[in-house]
């Protein structure tokens, strides 16, 4: 149980285009989803927290107009990187929590974004 | 959330127990200790968590000192597939599930 998927697993896009990444909880309802970014040889950095049906809460320094997050259902959250630039190339990882008391987060496999 | 300190790297022998230390000297009474690991180019995997009692599951054991200022994750019989970065995270029960990842310990299991 507690499986989280991401799609796509990797994507290459041209500078200036937008890319959408999907995060799905496959066997549980995720009241809260999180988006992280990880640069090579670095740790995960939390970008934003989203609760189903409400606006995402962004961490300091993360541009909300550039990284659009939608959490429209209890099993799906999307991250759209708008007007991507090479410096946005990174490993994007989502996690989901059922919020049922144990509060464990279950992570997706990650999406490798390369902007050329 | 309290900060944690972990050694940046460690090697261990396949088949032997791997003991991964973590210092969290500023932990407060209602903060949990969580351990996750990340195998290269994958998402983090939950391992175990605890408050003050020692915990054991099918993956590992967590030993928390009586003063709760440090803990040790024990992988009882390390395998090559346990090679990963291990993150010790302290999280407040009411922190909205936010996890703050530090540098972790890069564990290399050698044959």
């Amino acid at each position: 149980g507690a499986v989280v998927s991401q799609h796509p697993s990797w994507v290459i896009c041209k500078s200036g285009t937008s890319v959408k990444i999907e995060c799905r909880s496959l066997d549980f309802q995720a009241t809260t989803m999180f988006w992280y970014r990880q640069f090579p040889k670095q740790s995960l950095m939390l970008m934003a927290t989203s609760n189903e049906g409400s606006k995402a809460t962004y961490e300091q320094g993360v541009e909300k107009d550039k990284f659009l997050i939608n959490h429209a259902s209890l099993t799906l959250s999307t991250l759209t990187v708008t007007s991507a630039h090479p410096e946005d190339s990174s490993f994007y990882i989502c996690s989901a929590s059922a919020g049922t008391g144990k509060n464990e987060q279950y992570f997706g496999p990650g999406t490798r974004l390369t902007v050329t | 959330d309290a900060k944690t300190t972990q050694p940046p790297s460690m090697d261990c022998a396949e088949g032997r127990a791997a003991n991964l230390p973590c210092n969290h000297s500023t932990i407060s009474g209602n903060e949990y200790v969580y351990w996750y690991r990340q195998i290269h180019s994958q998402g983090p995997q939950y391992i175990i968590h605890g408050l003050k009692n020692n915990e054991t599951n099918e993956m590992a054991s967590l030993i928390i000192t009586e003063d709760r200022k440090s803990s040790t994750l024990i992988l009882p019989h390390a395998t090559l597939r346990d090679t990963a970065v291990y993150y010790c995270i302290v999280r407040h029960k009411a922190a909205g599930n936010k996890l703050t990842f530090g540098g972790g310990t890069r564990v290399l299991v050698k044959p």
Side-chain angles (χ1 to χ4, degrees):
Chain A
V3 178
V4 176
S5 70
Q6 283 185 239
H7 178 81
S9 55
W10 60 270
V11 57
I12 301 173
C13 71
K14 291 188 176 180
S15 187
T17 61
S18 295
V19 174
K20 181 185 285 188
I21 302 170
E22 293 184 349
C23 176
R24 294 181 185 272
S25 57
L26 299 184
D27 51 3
F28 67 100
Q29 293 187 324
T31 54
T32 307
M33 286 185 168
F34 304 83
W35 287 95
Y36 296 81
R37 179 168 54 180
Q38 185 175 33
F39 293 108
K41 297 193 182 299
Q42 294 187 22
S43 188
L44 285 78
M45 290 183 57
L46 179 65
M47 299 175 67
T49 303
S50 74
N51 291 297
E52 184 265 338
S54 57
K55 289 185 178 180
T57 301
Y58 290 80
E59 295 298 302
Q60 191 172 5
V62 178
E63 300 174 58
K64 62 180 181 180
D65 294 330
K66 181 170 181 62
F67 299 99
L68 302 179
I69 292 172
N70 183 280
H71 190 169
S73 78
L74 286 172
T75 59
L76 173 64
S77 175
T78 60
L79 168 68
T80 300
V81 183
T82 62
S83 187
H85 288 95
E87 57 265 30
D88 298 323
S89 298
S90 187
F91 193 49
Y92 291 87
I93 306 169
C94 74
S95 70
S97 172
T100 54
K102 284 189 174 182
N103 290 336
E104 286 141 9
Q105 285 188 37
Y106 300 96
F107 286 80
T111 296
R112 176 80 55 193
L113 169 64
T114 301
V115 184
T116 61
Chain B
D1 290 340
K3 289 187 177 179
T4 62
T5 303
Q6 299 177 252
S9 65
M10 63 184 294
D11 295 346
C12 54
E14 185 181 20
R16 303 291 294 272
N19 297 318
L20 282 61
C22 179
N23 285 324
H24 30 80
S25 58
T26 59
I27 193 171
S28 65
N30 47 13
E31 288 181 313
Y32 289 81
V33 180
Y34 278 75
W35 283 84
Y36 282 79
R37 73 179 183 183
Q38 185 180 25
I39 296 170
H40 182 63
S41 293
Q42 297 183 23
Q45 177 188 22
Y46 166 81
I47 301 174
I48 200 167
H49 78 281
L51 184 62
K52 50 185 174 182
N53 297 323
N54 298 336
E55 302 286 344
T56 295
N57 62 21
E58 64 278 4
M59 289 183 68
S61 294
L62 174 61
I63 308 298
I64 303 175
T65 58
E66 193 169 341
D67 63 8
R68 301 186 69 241
K69 294 186 176 183
S70 66
S71 60
T72 301
L73 179 75
I74 301 172
L75 307 177
H77 304 286
T79 71
L80 298 180
R81 287 177 293 181
D82 292 323
T83 292
V85 179
Y86 287 77
Y87 295 100
C88 169
I89 301 169
V90 171
R91 183 175 71 81
H92 194 284
K93 187 177 181 181
N97 292 350
K98 286 175 64 170
L99 292 173
T100 302
F101 286 80
T105 296
R106 190 173 297 274
V107 174
L108 176 61
V109 181
K110 296 182 174 180

